[in-house]
Amino acid sequence: MRQRMMFWYGHGMNGWGWLVMSVGTLLFWVLLITLGVLLLRALARPVPPGGWHSTWQKPPPDNGPEQILAERYARGEIDEEEYHRRLATLRGSPADAGRHPAS
């Protein structure tokens, strides 16, 4: 008399079943080890000054007076003569700044 067991499919797994199971197990361990290494590297990295949130923020734009003057000249708000006169004034060159009276 033959007795059948639950979930017993005849003679067991064939070659493809063993191959898929082996590759799946290998991929699982590779993924687990990779995640562990990445986690350790992230935890071992030094914290930047100001904390991690400081790296998420964009640096403030450099809106110095010369930059603003150059942007105004580029937009055509001031002409070349006025640009050079104001630039000389900003840089503290009295020879160029004294030629034209300030308006």
Side-chain angles (χ1 to χ4, degrees), residues 14 18 21 37 44 48 62-63 66 69 72 77 82 87 96 98:
N14 62 11
W18 284 105
M21 184 180 67
V37 168
D62 182 23
N63 285 341
E66 290 184 14
L69 186 62
R72 288 186 65 197
E77 294 177 9
E82 186 175 356
L87 188 62
D96 290 338

Side-chain angles (χ1 to χ4, degrees), residues 10 15-16 28 40 47 50 55 58 60 62 64 67-69 71 75 77 79 84 87 94-95 99-100:
W16 287 108
F28 169 76
L40 287 174
V47 177
T55 60
K58 292 182 181 178
D62 182 23
Q67 178 69 29
I68 294 171
L69 186 62
E71 289 173 2
R75 286 192 299 260
E77 294 177 9
D79 61 357
H84 288 294
L87 188 62
R99 284 192 317 186
H100 305 341

